Amino acid sequence: MSNDDQRSSSGEGHYYKQEPHTTQNSGPGSQGEKLPGQPLKQRNIWRAVAMVMSIIAVVFAATTLLAYNHIINPPAARLTSIATQAPQQTATVSAPTSASTSSSMSTVQPSSPSNYSALQPGPGCDKNGGTWTPQGLGDITCGTAVSPSSANTRGYLFLQLPNNKAFSSNNKIGVIGNPGTPNGFLQCIGLDEQDANTGFLAEYCGDGHWFIYSISSDGTIVQTLAKDLTSTRTTVDIALTLQGTTLSFSMDNEMHEVNSITPIQPTKVAITYFANSGYAGSITTNNFSYTVLSS
C-alpha cells in the first residue's frame, strides 16, 4: 500500500473515530436537542392548571347554589317568619284608623244622658257635681235631714245633673228614707218627675200608705193613679221608673205598675217631703240614684 493510501485510510479512520467522540462531548441542549426531564415538567404544569380550574369550578358551583337557595329560594323558616309578621303589620296599621274613625264620630254625636248618684243629696252635700235646689223646705242638714217649711205642704228638692245634661224619657230614680209617725204626726217621702206641663209623683208614708199621682207643672195633684196600704218600715228604699207608657213604683222588693200613661220628657227630677204638722220633725234621705234605661 502506498503512503498516500495509508494517509487516506488513516484520515477516514480518524474521522469515523471522532463521530462518537463528537456525540459524547456534545453539551446539554446542543444542536436543539430536548432536555431529558422537560416532558415530565410540562405534564405536571398542565396537571396543576387542570386542578386549579377544577377547584375554581367547584367554588363557583357552590357559590351559585348558595346564592340561589338564600336569595331566589329563601328557606322555609324565613318564609314562615314573613308570613307570620304580615297580619301583625296589617293590625298595627288599621288600629289607628279605627280609633280615628271612632273619635271623629264621637265629636259629632250629641252627649247622651248618663247615670248619676249622690250619697248625700242637697245643696252643699252632694260631692258628685249635681245641683240641688230646695223649694218649700226649711233647714237641710247633710245626711240629709230635711224639714218641710209648712204643714200639709210638700217640699221639693230638685236636681240638675252635672254639666246641665238632659234627663232621659226612660229612667229610674231612687232614694232611701226614714219617714215615720213621730209623736203621732205623719211623714212621707216621694219621687217626682215633671216636664213643662205635667208629671208624676210616687210617695210612701210612715203609716204604710203609698200613692201614685199625676201632677201639674207646679206639683199640684191632678189625679190619683194608684194607692194602697203596705207594711210600715223603719227605712224604705223607694224607686220611680218611667219606661215608655209604663210607670212603676217600688218599695224595697214590692212593686206596683200603672200602664198606658202618656210618656213625658222630664225637665225636673226631685225628692219630695211631706209632714201633716210642723211638729213632725225632720226626715232623713240618702243614697239618691238616677239610672238611664233603654227604650
Side-chain angles (χ1 to χ4, degrees), residues 40-77:
L40 179 59
K41 287 183 180 180
Q42 289 179 347
R43 285 195 299 270
N44 289 340
I45 291 173
W46 284 111
R47 184 178 299 169
V49 170
M51 184 177 297
V52 171
M53 294 298 293
S54 298
I55 293 173
I56 292 174
V58 171
V59 171
F60 178 80
T63 303
T64 303
L65 181 61
L66 289 174
Y68 176 82
N69 286 336
H70 288 277
I71 297 175
I72 299 176
N73 186 25

Side-chain angles (χ1 to χ4, degrees), residues 222-271:
V222 175
Q223 182 182 0
T224 301
L225 302 177
K227 64 178 182 178
D228 208 339
L229 177 66
T230 186
S231 61
T232 58
R233 311 162 195 219
T234 304
T235 60
V236 61
D237 186 349
I238 64 173
L240 172 62
T241 302
L242 299 178
Q243 191 163 28
T245 60
T246 300
L247 179 154
S248 303
F249 179 51
S250 65
M251 296 154 285
D252 297 327
N253 295 324
E254 180 182 343
M255 178 175 290
H256 303 277
E257 288 187 352
V258 176
N259 297 307
S260 302
I261 65 167
T262 301
I264 65 171
Q265 175 59 59
T267 57
K268 295 180 180 180
V269 166
I271 306 171

Side-chain angles (χ1 to χ4, degrees), residues 71-137:
I71 297 175
I72 299 176
N73 186 25
R78 183 181 173 191
L79 292 175
T80 303
S81 175
I82 294 173
T84 304
Q85 293 175 3
Q88 295 176 357
Q89 294 173 353
T90 301
T92 302
V93 171
S94 63
T97 302
S98 176
S100 299
T101 302
S102 176
S103 176
S104 67
M105 289 178 62
S106 65
T107 58
V108 299
Q109 292 177 346
S111 59
S112 59
S114 57
N115 299 342
Y116 183 76
S117 64
L119 180 62
Q120 297 182 355
C125 304
D126 185 354
K127 304 301 182 183
N128 293 334
T131 301
W132 295 89
T133 304
Q135 176 181 310
L137 297 175

Side-chain angles (χ1 to χ4, degrees), residues 180-186 279-281:
T181 56
N183 302 316
F185 300 107
L186 184 65
Y279 300 99

